[in-house]
Amino acid sequence: MFKADILGETLKDGIEALTIIVDEARVHLGKDGVYARNADPSYVAMVQFELSAKAFENYETDEEVVTLDLKKMQDILELANRTDVIQMAIDDNRMALSFGDLKYTIALLSPYSIKKEPKVPKVESAAHVVITGKEFRWAVKAAGKVSDNIALGCANTDFFMEALGDADTMRLELSKDQLVDVSRTDGKSDEVRSLFSLEFLIEMSKAVGKASEVSLDIGKNIPLKVGFDFADGNGSVSYLLAPRIEQE
Amino acid sequence: MRAASEELSRKELLLNSFKLGKIDKDLFGPTPPSAFVGRFGYPEVLAGPLVSPAGEEVSLSDTPDKWLYLSREEIIGFRSNLVRSNFKLNVKDARDPGRLLKETQELAMAALPVDVEVKFLKPPRRAIQFDGILTPMGPSGTVTDIEIVENPQVPKKVDALADDRDIKATEAAILLYEASISPYQISRLLSVGTLGKKRLIVPTRWSITATDSMLGENLLKRVRNYPENADVQLFVSEAYGNHFEILFVPRAYAFGWTEMWISQKGKVEIGDLYEDAMNKPAYMDGGYYAARFSALEFLERVRRQASIYVMREVKPTYDIPLGSWVIRELVKDAFSRQPLIFGSVTDALKSVRTRINVPPNTLFLKKHLLQTRLMQFD
């Protein structure tokens, strides 16, 4: 049994954050809130998602794990306003979604239909950078004009994003006073960088762009961690993205 | 290496290769066996057997799996000796074949050359055509009668499957392959409509690629269960101005294909396709499926899986295309020699780039070989 009421905005934003990585997700409906960890089918990217029970208007659960067809939910929720309160209920392998005068009942997916939860790789980053969501989204979009990949790095505490196309390049550099926050977690000052596929970052930046602040954990040829909060701090999303190998 | 013949100009090569004299209206002689189905006008197409004048040796003329060490003159020579007979039919005629189609089907089933008598409307004129997928094609003429004049020797398995009307064409093709019938013969049988439940005539060009794709898919079902290859291996082969670099990376099966066609003026045209557990190639490419089939045959033989990247450079000297068998057989040929072993994909690519110029951002490099996975960081 699961019964909850939630603001349309929170549910829409939460589902969008997940669908950037997966169309179907295994979701834990725990006592303190909702939790999910899912990787894309190629294991290049992963999302860790938490939404506290406090983000709900009303929240009751027997604690269960369900497999949701997120794409279908997203499609249905297009009809809901961001200010609507959405009533959710899960019972007998079906989920009811009600808002306004509408009531949808959709089937849950078989838990065997998707991969088991991925292990979270141990990543020791070299730098922690915080920038505004808007700025991150803008830089990723700018890189897309010249290339299909982008390097994120830090030289001392100067953060940079760099895209190298066949003939064209883009570079954005932000020093300490232009960033919300920056620190070297490895205590060093040398340049560290990793290269990433823009395909994933462009998608991620759509969800990230709404957040006031985004944290980026960067290192030398290691996965990038992109973290941000939503639902007035009651929800958090963190993406991990595996790097590309740079050719000499 | 066949350096001497590659220095001949296109014109010299054709003059040297072409042997057939004047062709009569009535032709009696052997078929290798061979039959051709055109694609123009589909579903109304032209089809018929390929026949040589009496006395010609044809046992090699339709078996590309035995051609790799022959010169271009030899190949063009015996292909130009085969006269193509054409009659018009609807692809659905395979369900109730008329006399001309019946004769064509019967000879196509044979394992060895068969003597045939063909009557043309007019004497066929000397000609030859070249194509990237099809083998070189000689003179052709509209036929009024075809008659097999000896008893064709048909392999038992071929006979049984041609009689079987309950089995799907794909399953029949797989059974033939498992009975060691050559893929070239399987494609011929498929083309003339002798296999399957709902029989259809299939243009030769399509049946070649369909056979590569079907047989490859069947091999892949097994290959996916094999352990991953141990090392990063690089296999190399080259003939007729076609250079192949074939990279095996120890990962789950995926297949990438990049071809670089270099024109006389040095311009490069690129073909770029790939497949993996989630993605299929963007379009049906004959070269892609020919290379994939040979690579999967090799993986099945060594009981391994791998991410495979086939890179093909076509030099300007390949000015007369010989057909997709060049790809199928050269990829196979590369596996007959010891591979180079590397510690990493980037090292292997560095070696590749000392011989051919592969672009840095091909689909397979981006999606697979140069993209890490999260589980590598445990």
Side-chain angles (χ1 to χ4, degrees), chain A residues 1-7 10-11 27-36 49-66 68 85-90 234:
Chain A
M1 189 277 295
F2 171 79
K3 257 184 163 172
D5 299 340
I6 188 168
L7 194 63
T10 311
L11 188 59
V27 176
H28 296 253
L29 308 169
K31 277 274 177 269
D32 302 327
V34 175
Y35 170 79
F49 174 96
E50 277 178 48
L51 185 58
S52 159
K54 286 182 214 150
F56 293 80
E57 317 278 313
N58 172 44
Y59 187 87
E60 290 171 58
T61 177
D62 283 350
E63 294 193 70
E64 56 184 316
V65 183
V66 292
L68 301 179
V85 171
I86 301 180
Q87 295 171 307
M88 303 167 74
I90 292 178
N234 287 317

Side-chain angles (χ1 to χ4, degrees), chain A residues 146 155 158-163 169-173 191 193:
Chain A
V146 297
D158 293 333
F159 168 66
F160 65 85
M161 291 170 85
E162 186 178 70
T169 64
M170 181 229 72
R171 190 173 163 101
L172 170 80
E173 247 183 68
E191 182 182 300
R193 62 186 275 149

Side-chain angles (χ1 to χ4, degrees), chain B residues 348-365:
Chain B
L349 286 170
K350 250 187 252 168
S351 167
V352 169
R353 292 196 168 108
T354 62
R355 291 175 295 274
I356 61 171
N357 198 7
V358 183
N361 53 355
T362 67
L363 283 173
F364 201 62
L365 288 178

Side-chain angles (χ1 to χ4, degrees), chain A:
Chain A
M1 189 277 295
F2 171 79
K3 257 184 163 172
D5 299 340
I6 188 168
L7 194 63
E9 179 176 55
T10 311
L11 188 59
K12 279 169 178 256
D13 288 351
I15 289 176
E16 185 190 19
L18 284 166
T19 52
I20 280 159
I21 307 295
V22 283
D23 293 346
E24 301 165 351
R26 185 168 290 140
V27 176
H28 296 253
L29 308 169
K31 277 274 177 269
D32 302 327
V34 175
Y35 170 79
R37 184 171 80 228
N38 291 274
D40 90 290
S42 60
Y43 279 112
V44 171
M46 175 189 291
V47 57
Q48 289 173 272
F49 174 96
E50 277 178 48
L51 185 58
S52 159
K54 286 182 214 150
F56 293 80
E57 317 278 313
N58 172 44
Y59 187 87
E60 290 171 58
T61 177
D62 283 350
E63 294 193 70
E64 56 184 316
V65 183
V66 292
T67 308
L68 301 179
D69 186 339
L70 298 172
K71 279 284 172 197
K72 192 183 271 176
M73 287 177 73
Q74 193 173 38
D75 192 35
I76 287 171
L77 289 170
E78 266 179 30
L79 300 167
N81 293 314
R82 291 180 76 82
T83 51
D84 283 348
V85 171
I86 301 180
Q87 295 171 307
M88 303 167 74
I90 292 178
D91 206 9
D92 197 21
N93 268 322
R94 304 184 77 77
M95 174 163 66
L97 281 175
S98 317
F99 49 91
D101 301 326
L102 285 171
K103 181 178 178 180
Y104 281 93
T105 318
I106 58 179
L108 298 181
L109 299 171
S110 152
Y112 305 108
S113 64
I114 62 171
K115 282 187 181 159
K116 52 178 203 233
E117 269 161 11
K119 272 209 289 186
V120 182
K122 284 187 210 94
V123 178
E124 284 189 22
S125 65
H128 180 77
V129 176
V130 183
I131 66 171
T132 65
K134 219 170 152 183
E135 195 148 24
F136 181 72
R137 182 170 186 169
W138 179 78
V140 166
K141 195 175 169 187
K145 309 266 180 214
V146 297
S147 182
D148 62 11
N149 55 43
I150 186 169
L152 269 69
C154 248
N156 196 5
T157 51
D158 293 333
F159 168 66
F160 65 85
M161 291 170 85
E162 186 178 70
L164 301 176
D166 289 339
D168 314 310
T169 64
M170 181 229 72
R171 190 173 163 101
L172 170 80
E173 247 183 68
L174 298 169
S175 59
K176 195 165 185 168
D177 53 355
Q178 294 169 292
L179 296 162
V180 180
D181 192 22
V182 60
S183 60
R184 285 298 290 253
T185 42
D186 62 353
K188 294 178 185 162
S189 61
D190 62 331
E191 182 182 300
V192 290
R193 62 186 275 149
S194 303
L195 187 72
F196 301 97
S197 153
L198 260 181
E199 197 183 326
F200 279 99
L201 276 173
I202 286 171
E203 287 304 307
M204 286 177 189
S205 74
K206 287 178 190 163
V208 168
K210 289 179 195 152
S212 58
E213 291 179 1
V214 188
S215 68
L216 305 168
D217 289 289
I218 307 164
K220 202 172 186 176
N221 300 322
I222 58 163
L224 168 73
K225 192 171 163 185
V226 180
F228 66 96
D229 291 343
F230 72 109
D232 294 327
N234 287 317
S236 77
V237 175
S238 118
Y239 296 120
L240 272 175
L241 178 61
R244 275 194 181 165
I245 298 167
E246 287 206 61
Q247 297 181 84
E248 283 152 50

